[in-house]
Amino acid sequence: MSDPRVDITIAVHSASRPVARAVASVLDHTVAPVRVNVVAHNIDPEIIRTNLGRFASDPRLRLLELRDGIPSPAGPMNFGFASSTAPFISVMGSDDELAPGAIDSWLAVHEATRAEVVIAKIQLADGRTDPYPPVRNGRRTRALHGRRDRLAYRSAPLGLIDRARFGELRLTEGLPSGEDLAYSLTLWFTGQRLAYDLDGPAYVINDDASDRVTASPRPLAQDFSFLDELESFAWFARASRADRIAIVVKLIRIHVFDAVLARIGSAEALAENRSDILALLDRFEHIAPGATALLSLADRRVFDALRDPSGTPADILRGLEARHAYLSVPTLLTRNPFLALRAQAPFRTLFAGFRIMNGKR
């Protein structure tokens, strides 16, 4: 094949993953020269070769093998990065797909903006557009800013990444979850030129994988161990308080509340995890003083119930459910009303996400 413009890595660890569908969405619907690196992760590559069908012998595809014994996508994705030679790299889940022309559209956005990263539009499994990141007014697509455009809300680095600029960056290995958080935050807060292909063909999330499993909650420290690496980065140590607040507000809203829900199934579970959750909140406030003040009234009431020794799992669960009444006063306002219209406060964040999800351009 001619030299590819894009190296896209797909890691696959199971014979049941529809990897041929993912590959077809790239190779059958991209005009630009592209190469797909399918990494057989801790599985016999011949099984994956069979599943690739007609693509197994396609010169635009490389079947790579990685056996590291670690059930994490970080290893195979990093292996794909290290094996890439194209000017741009990209990643893709083995059960997802690209709408026709997505990569060509990303390249066109790069040509128009010279962006170091082109963020992909995501189509959710229900057909709606992912509201994250909730960029300014739900409209901004060029000359993006990590804080002002709330890019921290996009955790997965989906889209087009300039290999000359970020080719040495790696996902965090050895973590049970959150392996892409430090990676993506580095893109958003150190990239000089960032663009969002919000009007182009989407990266399509599918939810039809047959081998998903539900695991018992891990120790809280494991789920947030990515914070250690994040705090070790020189760019984060130099980051302004406003940038840190933007990052921490997102981490609390998107990650902490899910962690709380997973750990309050009984009075015993709450008693076992309460102090760790509160210590995590204190750590976030230490990292970014003032972040908690930008949370909604509904958010703060969950934490009040956690801090109250008499708070029960039922009290906390009611608070968590109240957070999803998105048009209610408690979800839109902050405890200090003078902070309610700040960029990272809930009103403007939810408004921008609503415009994106509902196609208000």
Side-chain angles (χ1 to χ4, degrees), residues 171-191:
L171 302 181
T172 308
E173 298 191 24
L175 300 186
S177 65
E179 68 283 338
D180 53 3
L181 288 172
Y183 182 100
S184 60
L185 287 171
T186 301
L187 297 180
W188 313 146
F189 285 86
T190 68

Side-chain angles (χ1 to χ4, degrees), residues 272-293:
E272 180 181 348
N273 291 286
R274 189 194 300 266
S275 62
D276 288 340
I277 296 170
L278 295 178
L280 176 64
L281 294 176
D282 291 340
R283 180 180 182 184
F284 276 130
E285 186 64 20
H286 176 74
I287 292 172
T292 304

Side-chain angles (χ1 to χ4, degrees), residues 180-337:
D180 53 3
L181 288 172
Y183 182 100
S184 60
L185 287 171
T186 301
L187 297 180
W188 313 146
F189 285 86
T190 68
Q192 299 300 308
R193 295 181 300 278
L194 307 170
Y196 188 7
D197 191 16
L198 188 53
D199 297 312
Y203 180 107
V204 180
I205 299 287
N206 293 311
D207 62 359
D208 56 355
S210 61
D211 61 344
R212 300 191 189 278
V213 296
T214 301
S216 300
R218 294 177 287 265
L220 191 70
Q222 288 188 22
D223 276 352
F224 288 88
S225 54
F226 65 87
L227 282 174
D228 294 332
E229 181 176 29
L230 180 61
E231 289 193 87
S232 75
F233 288 162
W235 71 260
F236 188 78
R238 296 191 301 266
S240 67
R241 177 168 168 260
D243 284 353
R244 288 177 176 230
I245 285 175
I247 292 169
V248 166
V249 166
K250 177 267 180 175
L251 292 175
I252 294 175
R253 283 184 181 142
I254 304 301
H255 302 278
V256 170
F257 288 105
D258 283 347
V260 171
L261 179 62
R263 291 167 173 83
I264 60 163
S266 65
E268 293 77 12
L270 175 57
E272 180 181 348
N273 291 286
R274 189 194 300 266
S275 62
D276 288 340
I277 296 170
L278 295 178
L280 176 64
L281 294 176
D282 291 340
R283 180 180 182 184
F284 276 130
E285 186 64 20
H286 176 74
I287 292 172
T292 304
L294 293 177
L295 298 175
S296 71
L297 290 166
D299 291 344
R300 299 289 293 275
R301 287 170 184 170
V302 173
F303 296 154
D304 289 344
L306 279 164
R307 293 189 185 280
D308 183 351
S310 65
T312 66
D315 296 331
I316 298 168
L317 183 59
R318 280 193 296 270
L320 291 171
E321 291 172 346
R323 296 183 64 247
H324 298 293
Y326 294 119
L327 297 180
S328 68
V329 169
T331 61
L332 295 174
L333 294 185
T334 51
R335 186 165 288 177
N336 180 347

Side-chain angles (χ1 to χ4, degrees), residues 107-145:
L107 288 167
V109 171
H110 164 76
E111 292 297 331
T113 64
R114 312 312 298 174
E116 297 170 332
V117 182
V118 177
I119 302 171
K121 177 174 74 175
I122 294 177
Q123 178 183 306
L124 301 172
D126 61 8
R128 296 183 298 170
T129 298
D130 187 352
Y132 299 137
V135 293
R136 278 173 276 185
N137 298 317
R139 296 170 181 260
R140 187 92 174 187
T141 59
R142 302 293 189 268
L144 300 181
H145 185 276

